[in-house]
Amino acid sequence: LIEEARTNSPSIQQAWTRMAHADPVATKSGAARLPSLNYSGSAATSKQKTAGGTDAFNSFGLGLNAAYEVDLWGRVKSQAEATALDREASREQLHTAAITLASQTALNWSGIMAQRLQTELIHQQLKANKTSLELIELRARQSRASALDVLQQRKTVAATEARIPLAELRENLLSN
C-alpha cells in the first residue's frame, strides 16, 4: 500500500518535479564561476548589377568572444551556493513528502484493521446478546424471568445492532 501510495501521489510527483528543476538551475549557477566563451559565424551572398553584367559578392564573418566575471565580493560564489542549497532543500522536501505519505498510509491501514476488529467484536457481541435474549425468553415462558428482563435484553440487542452501521461507516471512511 505504501509503495502504491508513493507511485500515485500527486504531492510526491510535485516534489520530484521541483527536484528535477532544481538540478539544472544549480548546474547553471555553478557555471557562472567559469569563463564563458561565445562564438558566431555568418555567411552572405549578394548580387549587384553592374554595367558589365551581374557580379556576385560573398562575405563571411567569424566572431569569438570570451568573458570572465571577477568575483571580488563573492556574489557569484554565493549564488552558486544558494542554488546548491535550494537543490538540497528540494531533495529533502521529496524525502519528507515520502516519509509523511508512508506514515499516513500506515496509520490509515492500522486504523482500518482496528475498525475491522471492532466491527467483528460488535458482531460477536450481538450474537451473544441474541443468545442471551433467547435464554431469557425461554426462562420467561417458564416463569423464571420477568417481562422486564426480556425487555432489557431486547433493548441491549437493539443498541448493539445500532452500533454496526456506524462501525462499518468508520471503516469505509478510513478505506477511502
Side-chain angles (χ1 to χ4, degrees), residues 15-173:
W16 271 109
T17 303
R18 281 192 299 273
M19 192 176 79
H21 286 287
D23 283 337
V25 170
T27 303
K28 181 181 176 186
S29 178
R33 299 174 75 181
L34 302 173
S36 65
L37 186 61
N38 298 316
Y39 62 91
S40 63
S42 64
T45 302
S46 61
K47 293 184 180 183
Q48 232 177 13
K49 287 188 177 185
T50 59
T54 303
D55 290 334
F57 297 100
N58 293 325
S59 65
F60 301 96
L62 287 174
L64 184 62
N65 182 19
Y68 180 73
E69 181 179 346
V70 178
D71 194 16
L72 291 177
W73 309 109
R75 183 188 67 81
V76 175
K77 180 182 176 187
S78 295
Q79 271 185 325
E81 288 173 355
T83 54
L85 290 174
D86 284 344
R87 177 178 51 194
E88 284 303 310
S90 296
R91 185 170 288 122
E92 293 305 319
Q93 286 174 347
L94 173 64
H95 291 264
T96 301
I99 290 169
T100 302
L101 183 64
S103 67
Q104 287 175 344
T105 304
L107 283 173
N108 283 343
W109 182 81
S110 64
I112 290 169
M113 293 298 109
Q115 193 58 51
R116 283 184 184 166
L117 292 172
Q118 182 73 24
T119 304
E120 180 61 32
L121 184 63
I122 293 170
H123 281 289
Q124 290 173 2
Q125 183 66 46
L126 179 62
K127 185 178 176 182
N129 289 347
K130 284 182 177 182
T131 302
S132 292
L133 177 61
E134 289 174 8
L135 292 174
I136 291 171
E137 286 174 340
L138 180 63
R139 289 181 68 205
R141 282 192 294 268
Q142 297 173 353
S143 297
R144 292 183 160 181
S146 67
L148 179 62
D149 293 334
V150 174
L151 181 63
Q152 286 177 339
Q153 190 60 31
R154 284 183 183 163
K155 286 175 106 177
T156 302
V157 168
T160 305
E161 285 176 337
R163 291 176 53 201
I164 291 173
L166 184 59
E168 290 172 349
L169 177 65
R170 284 186 194 140
E171 182 180 337
N172 288 337
L173 287 173

